[in-house]
Amino acid sequence: MDKQFNIRKIATKKIFISDDYLPLSKSLMTLPIFTATNQTKAVQLNIKAKSFFSYENLEINTEPLTLSHDFNVFIYIIQKLTKNPSHKIILDIKEYQQQNNIARQNLQVYREKINSTLKKFQNLSISFEKKDKRYTCGFINYSKEIGNNQVEIEISPGLLFLYEADKDLIFNLRLDKYKKIKSLYAKALYLFYLSNNKNTLNIFNKDYIAYRLQCGHLENKVFNKNIRAAHKELLKLELIEKVEEVKYGPKVLKYKVIVLDKRPLNVDPTPAETNEEKAAITEEDLTTNNDICDDDIPF
């Protein structure tokens, strides 16, 4: 066991070791790393923000990482790392297919898709400041096929920096619940809401949501349609309790969301909640060179 790569030793809370749970840091759920896109083109993205919640001077350089295939590969890596902390893991393609209910006749296709994802992971760079510390992070150093449909992966210590920066905010994501979500918008929203569920009633500016999904380019009509469909799915799956749009005339400005606990939506937030919301983000803090959220993802 390599203590340097032991997520359980980094966390200040108990981490469950189970196929049903995945330990994820707040950054991996809140930041626009894995987004609501099916884009597979080799486009290099440069995503920046002066401030996004507790992350200052954020910069992400990556090819588009999807919440479908790319995130599933990431889930596999973290599960392996959690069960057997080491700077190297073995990704077994047949085991990956079985975990994700992929037909065996698609083995060659998924070998190529996995290699493409690992290449993106190797080129990923995330940097931010938090609590007066600067973090520069990546996922993996290299990958190589070693025969029998297996790939050896060397984990970058930078992956653990994402956990170190959020060691008191590491979430045990219930995979059985998460995998029931079909739409990419709903997947992204669920991760975002769950990792920012500090209060019983949480209020999110529409700009927060658009930035997390990297959907700032969408027309309001299209954006609202997709977000409402995503909320409908999360409500149906009982992954959020209630959601309400806060409008100025016909324009949606904010969302009131109850994730786990029950409290009437007409209960006003406390002064502390209001101050935290104001400090979280301002519209001029956010810049992106490329918005990558798909215009309309089927539900």
Side-chain angles (χ1 to χ4, degrees):
M1 180 180 294
D2 192 330
K3 292 182 180 179
Q4 182 182 4
F5 291 85
N6 194 332
I7 294 171
R8 286 173 289 170
K9 296 295 183 181
I10 296 172
T12 59
K13 59 192 288 188
K14 185 175 181 180
I15 298 297
F16 295 108
I17 306 301
S18 168
D19 290 338
D20 294 331
Y21 289 91
L22 183 76
L24 287 179
S25 68
K26 180 183 173 72
S27 57
L28 287 163
M29 302 168 75
T30 295
L31 297 179
I33 300 170
F34 296 94
T35 55
T37 180
N38 280 317
Q39 188 175 145
T40 57
K41 294 186 295 183
V43 177
Q44 193 68 23
L45 304 174
N46 181 235
I47 300 169
K48 292 183 179 180
K50 291 181 181 178
S51 178
F52 190 64
F53 286 78
S54 57
Y55 305 94
E56 306 292 330
N57 295 317
L58 169 70
E59 186 166 359
I60 301 172
N61 289 285
T62 184
E63 291 181 37
L65 293 175
T66 70
L67 272 165
S68 49
H69 173 70
D70 293 333
F71 191 63
N72 288 340
V73 174
F74 184 75
I75 286 173
Y76 184 98
I77 289 173
I78 296 300
Q79 285 180 315
K80 288 283 188 180
L81 191 61
T82 305
K83 292 177 182 178
N84 184 27
S86 173
H87 69 293
K88 291 182 181 179
I89 67 163
I90 302 299
L91 189 157
D92 186 293
I93 297 174
K94 288 185 177 180
E95 182 181 56
Y96 172 84
Q97 284 187 291
Q98 184 177 13
Q99 285 188 7
N100 291 279
N101 298 315
I102 299 165
R104 284 183 174 253
Q105 58 263 35
N106 293 330
L107 182 63
Q108 180 59 34
V109 172
Y110 271 85
R111 181 187 290 112
E112 293 172 2
K113 290 185 69 173
I114 286 170
N115 285 331
S116 175
T117 292
L118 294 176
K119 181 180 178 182
K120 289 192 280 186
F121 286 175
Q122 186 176 354
N123 294 328
L124 168 70
S125 173
I126 304 165
S127 62
F128 56 82
E129 294 173 13
K130 190 171 184 181
K131 297 180 180 178
D132 298 322
K133 288 186 178 181
R134 185 74 186 172
Y135 296 89
T136 301
C137 315
F139 284 176
I140 69 173
N141 291 332
Y142 74 77
S143 65
K144 66 176 182 179
E145 293 185 350
I146 57 174
N148 297 321
N149 297 307
Q150 293 184 329
V151 182
E152 179 183 274
I153 301 169
E154 183 175 88
I155 305 298
S156 168
L159 174 57
L160 278 297
F161 293 164
L162 292 167
Y163 288 87
E164 181 184 312
D166 290 326
K167 60 185 177 182
D168 55 345
L169 290 168
I170 297 177
F171 297 82
N172 291 294
L173 177 67
R174 282 284 300 269
L175 286 176
D176 57 342
K177 290 186 176 182
Y178 175 79
K179 288 184 176 181
K180 290 180 181 178
I181 306 172
K182 302 299 182 184
S183 103
L184 299 183
Y185 282 88
K187 286 177 184 288
L189 283 177
Y190 180 62
L191 294 175
F192 184 73
Y193 289 155
L194 192 63
S195 60
N196 291 287
N197 187 35
K198 185 175 181 180
N199 309 299
T200 303
L201 176 67
N202 299 279
I203 301 178
F204 299 102
N205 191 299
K206 181 180 176 180
D207 292 334
Y208 301 3
I209 305 300
Y211 186 73
R212 170 60 185 89
L213 273 64
Q214 290 294 287
C215 290
H217 68 292
L218 294 184
E219 294 181 1
N220 281 334
K221 183 177 180 180
V222 176
F223 181 87
N224 291 338
K225 171 191 171 186
N226 290 334
I227 296 301
R228 285 166 185 159
H231 282 150
K232 183 178 180 180
E233 182 179 1
L234 293 177
L235 287 165
K236 185 177 180 179
L237 291 171
E238 298 183 340
L239 295 176
I240 59 176
E241 296 284 348
K242 290 183 180 180
V243 63
E244 179 182 305
E245 296 177 348
V246 179
K247 295 183 176 181
Y248 180 75
K251 186 177 181 180
V252 178
L253 300 178
K254 301 179 182 181
Y255 302 92
K256 291 183 178 181
V257 183
I258 296 177
V259 181
L260 297 175
D261 299 320
K262 291 182 173 64
R263 188 166 84 182
L265 282 166
N266 59 3
V267 174
D268 292 330
T270 66
E273 291 172 346
T274 302
N275 289 335
E276 181 174 286
E277 181 200 62
K278 288 179 179 178
I281 194 171
T282 57
E283 187 173 355
E284 57 268 24
D285 282 337
L286 304 182
T287 61
T288 61
N289 290 347
N290 302 84
D291 281 330
I292 57 172
C293 181
D294 290 343
D295 286 3
D296 195 5
I297 298 176
F299 290 90

